[in-house]
Amino acid sequence: MKTIVILGGGYAGINLVDSLKKELKDQLGTAVRVILVDKNSYHFRKVLLVKAITEDADDLQLKVPFQRYISKGIEVLQGEVTRINKTGNIVEIEKEDHQVVEVHYDYLVITLGSRVKDNENFIGGMTLKDESSAHDIKDRLIDLINKTKKLNSDHKRQSNLKIALVGAGITGIETACELAVWLKEQALIHGIDPNGVEVLLFDPKTRLLHEAPDHISSRLEKKMNKFGVKFFSNTRVKEFNNGYLVCTDGRKYEIGLCIITNGVEVNPTIKQLQLPLSDQNQLIVNDCYEVEGHKNIYSIGDCARIIDPITNKYDGMTCKEAIPQAQRLAKIIKHKMTKQPNHIVHTSYPVKLFCVSLGPKEGFVWIQKWGMNFTLTGQLGLRFRNYTWNLASLLK
Ligand SMILES: Cc1cc2nc3c(=O)[nH]c(=O)nc-3n(C[C@H](O)[C@H](O)[C@H](O)COP(=O)(O)OP(=O)(O)OC[C@H]3O[C@@H](n4cnc5c(N)ncnc54)[C@H](O)[C@@H]3O)c2cc1C
């Protein structure tokens, strides 16, 4: 019996399990077994983190128990990966009770992903990094509303309801709109003028969604303005201190709260594994996702440095890339197991796609195909967004 061990049940890990089920269906449980290892007992739907600020966690289905992905020949082991013994083909897993178990592999796939960058230099700023930080942000916002109610000065009331977001990627855009809508609702409930609510979104880039044509970026920006979100391009934030947000160009804004949404970094566990790393600490892999110098160790998802051989560009750290990588790797492993020559060529991603929610009722989707640009907005955009969220976690 051959054993495939997958380290990490994030988007890359669960989609690889799903694709292996399809590719190896006749062998699973008889000739092949797959062991999915994760420190948690559930798949965490990171892409919904922003909703954890404003919505009830139970309604969100943020955590999907791994049981949902198990079938014949697929096992789950809960514990933290600590070490790989490459000569013995063994991976060491520390369980919750600190007991270390050794798991033998024939094929090992590392999908340990990334974590949100925590920028502690922003004194007083809060980073949206996990479920508990989302709850802390909500508590701070509720506190702000309660304090605002007691203020007499209109100026102070307005600055209290000004929220700054640092970083205008997908998370920054979605958080800005979600909070603008939610804060206005809360203001009304508490008898405060909702027009005082303003969300300032800062980014050093020249425009939102910079990979799309100018007119698409402007369209997105206009939609966000409608919710009370103001975008500051070409602006790097230096610090948040004593209620003031200071930018590197010297501009200063009086605000109530600063939230940091400035991207992700590779999971630090990757460094411990003593495998070849890029300067961004991603595992260096070849065009079949094999880790350099290790024929039976593969890596995909956020923790791997993958170059698209057609465009010669690095794959981004998003689900949009992780999922096709998982589908392709399942085929590569199948070919390797059956000793067939590898014909699994890399095909470029079929479309350029960008998809965000703009608050609880609208979405914005941009698709580029055949040199043309398509957008979906409003409720239709949100429906598409919901579909991609569910698809990524295999919740059909
Ligand atoms: C707030 C936020 C919003 C995002 N929104 C979008 C979006 O809208 N669209 C999009 O395409 N992408 C989005 N992304 C990026 C997307 O989430 C990542 O690209 C995706 O999660 C990568 O999947 P992965 O499987 O490589 O890694 P991860 O999803 O990070 O999975 C890694 C897994 O490894 C496990 N793990 C970690 N360390 C250990 C250890 N030592 N031992 C055992 N298990 C371990 C973790 O528990 C986790 O299950 C977002 C990211 C964030 C943070």
Side-chain angles (χ1 to χ4, degrees):
M1 172 97 86
K2 295 281 183 210
T3 306
I4 304 170
V5 176
I6 303 171
L7 305 178
Y11 293 94
I14 59 158
N15 278 282
L16 179 61
V17 168
D18 189 58
S19 299
L20 286 170
K21 279 186 200 167
K22 290 171 192 148
E23 296 296 334
L24 303 172
K25 58 178 178 295
D26 302 329
Q27 289 124 292
L28 276 177
T30 49
V32 181
R33 67 173 186 156
V34 174
I35 305 176
L36 177 67
V37 179
D38 201 285
K39 59 183 179 181
N40 297 316
S41 59
Y42 51 80
H43 160 68
F44 186 70
R45 299 174 74 198
K46 269 190 203 180
V47 298
L48 291 182
L49 200 51
V50 50
K51 299 276 177 194
I53 305 178
T54 55
E55 286 181 30
D56 193 18
D58 295 338
D59 302 337
L60 272 177
Q61 218 188 345
L62 261 179
K63 297 170 184 170
V64 185
F66 284 124
Q67 292 302 327
R68 188 180 175 114
Y69 305 108
I70 289 181
S71 57
K72 191 178 164 211
I74 315 280
E75 298 159 41
V76 171
L77 176 63
Q78 190 183 347
E80 284 213 31
V81 178
T82 50
R83 206 173 80 87
I84 302 170
N85 166 351
K86 290 128 208 154
T87 42
N89 283 9
I90 285 168
V91 55
E92 287 180 8
I93 315 288
E94 187 177 335
K95 301 192 40 166
E96 241 179 351
D97 58 6
H98 301 298
Q99 189 202 340
V100 174
V101 289
E102 294 189 340
V103 180
H104 173 269
Y105 61 83
D106 296 288
Y107 303 93
L108 180 68
V109 186
I110 304 172
T111 56
L112 290 173
S114 59
R115 66 173 185 187
V116 171
K117 272 191 223 157
D118 198 352
N119 204 331
E120 282 158 13
N121 298 334
F122 289 89
I123 307 145
M126 299 178 88
T127 307
L128 177 62
K129 57 181 174 203
D130 50 24
E131 206 183 349
S132 123
S133 66
H135 297 159
D136 291 346
I137 291 172
K138 183 178 191 170
D139 290 346
R140 189 76 77 85
L141 291 171
I142 290 172
D143 198 38
L144 265 181
I145 295 269
N146 288 330
K147 281 192 181 133
T148 309
K149 262 199 310 198
K150 293 179 194 143
L151 290 170
N152 296 322
S153 138
D154 276 351
H155 167 76
K156 195 67 206 155
R157 275 183 160 216
Q158 287 202 346
S159 57
N160 245 9
L161 294 179
K162 256 191 202 155
I163 308 298
L165 283 168
V166 182
I170 298 178
T171 310
I173 292 172
E174 292 195 325
T175 311
C177 295
E178 194 73 28
L179 291 188
V181 173
W182 184 79
L183 273 171
K184 281 184 185 175
E185 278 169 15
Q186 294 298 313
L188 270 176
I189 293 169
H190 290 88
I192 305 168
D193 180 5
N195 293 319
V197 172
E198 204 178 356
V199 177
L200 316 181
L201 178 62
F202 295 89
D203 201 286
K205 294 212 173 76
T206 49
R207 55 193 172 88
L208 290 169
L209 181 51
H210 61 282
E211 59 270 41
D214 265 359
H215 70 279
I216 303 287
S217 303
S218 313
R219 193 154 173 221
L220 173 62
E221 192 175 336
K222 274 194 198 120
K223 295 251 168 228
M224 293 173 70
N225 291 157
K226 200 183 74 185
F227 292 106
V229 178
K230 201 167 167 192
F231 176 56
F232 294 78
S233 58
N234 298 312
T235 312
R236 196 174 284 280
V237 172
K238 193 166 132 204
E239 60 175 354
F240 173 55
N241 208 346
N242 270 332
Y244 283 91
L245 188 92
V246 184
C247 302
T248 49
D249 59 10
R251 275 181 290 170
K252 229 174 163 187
Y253 301 89
E254 194 177 357
I255 57 163
L257 179 64
C258 167
I259 302 170
I260 302 154
T261 49
N262 67 346
V264 295
E265 61 191 6
V266 175
N267 182 342
T269 304
I270 293 294
K271 263 190 174 175
Q272 289 173 33
L273 304 179
Q274 298 184 335
L275 289 164
L277 296 181
S278 72
D279 49 4
Q280 302 292 316
N281 293 324
Q282 282 176 310
L283 291 164
I284 300 178
V285 298
N286 66 15
D287 61 358
C288 287
Y289 308 130
E290 276 169 3
V291 175
E292 196 178 73
H294 298 272
K295 288 267 173 239
N296 56 348
I297 304 183
Y298 300 84
S299 183
I300 54 169
D302 284 3
C303 66
R305 191 199 62 172
I306 292 168
I307 303 172
D308 181 336
I310 295 163
T311 60
N312 237 354
K313 287 189 179 150
Y314 291 115
D315 278 6
M317 291 164 85
T318 75
C319 304
K320 208 170 65 209
E321 277 97 351
I323 296 166
Q325 288 163 10
Q327 291 162 346
R328 184 169 173 258
L329 180 56
K331 290 194 171 79
I332 290 172
I333 293 177
K334 179 186 174 184
H335 276 228
K336 188 140 178 199
M337 282 184 148
T338 49
K339 299 203 168 48
Q340 290 175 42
N342 181 17
H343 295 306
I344 315 303
V345 289
H346 194 290
T347 47
S348 250
Y349 303 112
V351 288
K352 269 193 180 171
L353 171 73
F354 175 87
C355 177
V356 283
S357 63
L358 302 178
K361 294 199 177 126
E362 292 193 32
F364 185 94
V365 180
W366 164 65
I367 298 170
Q368 195 176 59
K369 178 91 182 155
W370 307 299
M372 287 189 284
N373 295 294
F374 304 92
T375 52
L376 292 178
T377 56
Q379 276 188 19
L380 202 59
L382 184 65
R383 236 182 280 156
F384 189 90
R385 180 57 170 145
N386 278 326
Y387 171 75
T388 61
W389 275 328
N390 290 339
L391 194 72
S393 295
L394 304 162
L395 305 173
K396 289 155 202 157

